[in-house]
Amino acid sequence: MRRTRRHRVVRMNLDGTSRGRSDVLAGEEPMELRVDGRAWTVTMRTPGEDFDLALGFLVSEGVVWEADHVAAVGYGPGVNADGTLSYNVVDVRLAAGVAPPDSSHERHVYTSSSCGICGTASIDAVTRASRFPLADDVRVPLAELLAMTERLRERQRLFADTGGVHAAALFRLDDAGRAELVCLREDVGRHNAVDKVVGWALRERGLPLRRCVLQVSGRASFELVQKAHMAGIAVLAAVSAPSAMSVDLATEVGMTLVGFSRGDSANVYAGAERIV
């Protein structure tokens, strides 16, 4: 129920007519992430797959990269005004010997839904090197790549209801280059959708995501490239444009970055050798 909410709106037309109707809105609530009981960051997200979101975020920050690094994950003691559990606090307990996040990288302000790196202590906090080398032998047939956009759109159920969320889909390639959709997540924040995919992969002991393509519904920002890199994803494709900084980062780390991937064409901004 918290993923969407109905709201009464007035539909107004240029011909002077109007009528009331019920509209479906995407849910958006704050989620506080705690590590070993210590508050670390707050992000605005669409409720759902909260544990995956928390784990994916920790992968992106370089805190964990194996499922065994996590001892437990659960909801914290946050409560609503009426005393019921809010389910807006997630506490991740690290396994023995796993270093907690560097306090110098603590996030003291809200992470917004549109820009995941807002509030970081410095740019160094999101450009740390991945522990997973990117696969050089990945080859993606262009036809398979272009088909991912439509396959993503067909599965965007929350977007179909609200028109107000982003999506990230993980496709796994077989030896013949055929792509299988293995995970899709939606959220008001594009970076959250990616974290939810990566967190799922961590729980499934699937990292690094070597023979995979990450397809996202909107633009390709710097942080999406960074998150894909940290998960060992060699190919990131977006429906819309990349930013200049995302292209620079993809080039620097050896990723393939594709933009405007839709219809019968795509722009390859970095790593064109992986697209055949």
Side-chain angles (χ1 to χ4, degrees):
M1 292 294 292
R2 295 162 59 219
R3 290 174 64 84
T4 61
R5 180 167 61 87
R6 288 194 173 274
H7 185 77
R8 193 71 177 172
V9 301
V10 178
R11 180 80 169 189
M12 305 180 73
N13 305 302
L14 280 176
D15 63 6
T17 61
S18 64
R19 66 183 180 89
R21 52 170 289 188
S22 179
D23 197 15
V24 180
L25 307 177
E28 183 177 24
E29 297 179 14
M31 188 190 85
E32 178 182 305
L33 172 58
R34 298 179 182 178
V35 180
D36 291 333
R38 180 179 181 179
W40 193 39
T41 191
V42 177
T43 185
M44 299 300 296
R45 97 303 188 193
T46 298
E49 298 98 19
D50 292 334
F51 295 171
D52 288 346
L53 172 59
L55 295 175
F57 185 84
L58 291 175
V59 172
S60 297
E61 292 294 302
V63 178
V64 301
W65 54 94
E66 296 177 5
D68 291 339
H69 289 166
V70 178
V73 57
Y75 284 108
V79 294
N80 297 313
D82 60 2
T84 59
L85 286 176
S86 70
Y87 297 102
N88 281 336
V89 177
V90 174
D91 190 12
V92 178
R93 300 285 172 165
L94 301 178
V98 177
D102 188 337
S103 60
S104 66
H105 293 153
E106 283 188 23
R107 300 189 173 199
H108 297 288
V109 300
Y110 276 83
T111 301
S112 75
S113 303
S114 59
C115 175
I117 64 172
C118 299
T120 54
S122 71
I123 196 69
D124 291 338
V126 292
T127 56
R128 58 178 56 89
S130 173
R131 293 180 180 270
F132 303 128
L134 299 180
D136 292 328
D137 59 346
V138 175
R139 295 295 181 269
V140 187
L142 179 60
E144 287 286 324
L145 183 74
L146 292 172
M148 292 177 189
T149 301
E150 187 59 32
R151 294 173 67 183
L152 171 70
R153 182 62 181 269
E154 289 172 353
R155 295 283 296 276
Q156 287 183 252
R157 297 185 178 92
L158 191 57
F159 179 82
D161 290 338
T162 67
V165 294
H166 296 279
L170 187 69
F171 290 87
R172 182 176 292 128
L173 301 168
D174 64 16
D175 292 339
R178 293 184 294 264
E180 176 190 7
L181 176 58
V182 294
C183 182
L184 185 148
R185 296 289 186 262
E186 294 180 275
D187 198 279
V188 288
R190 57 173 57 86
H191 61 288
N192 289 340
V194 172
D195 277 339
K196 288 179 177 181
V197 168
V198 173
W200 168 86
L202 180 77
R203 286 194 300 103
E204 295 293 317
R205 298 180 179 273
L207 296 183
L209 296 168
R210 291 183 57 82
R211 294 192 58 80
C212 294
V213 177
L214 182 65
Q215 174 72 54
V216 296
S217 59
R219 60 183 176 86
S221 64
F222 167 83
E223 192 178 24
L224 296 197
V225 174
Q226 184 263 343
K227 288 178 181 293
H229 177 229
M230 293 295 287
I233 299 171
V235 182
L236 170 63
V239 174
S240 299
S243 67
M245 194 171 183
S246 70
V247 174
D248 291 344
L249 179 59
T251 302
E252 178 181 343
V253 301
M255 277 182 60
T256 296
L257 179 59
V258 182
F260 296 105
S261 183
R262 56 193 185 218
D264 58 2
S265 65
N267 293 348
V268 184
Y269 293 85
E273 67 278 359
R274 292 192 181 94
I275 311 301
V276 296

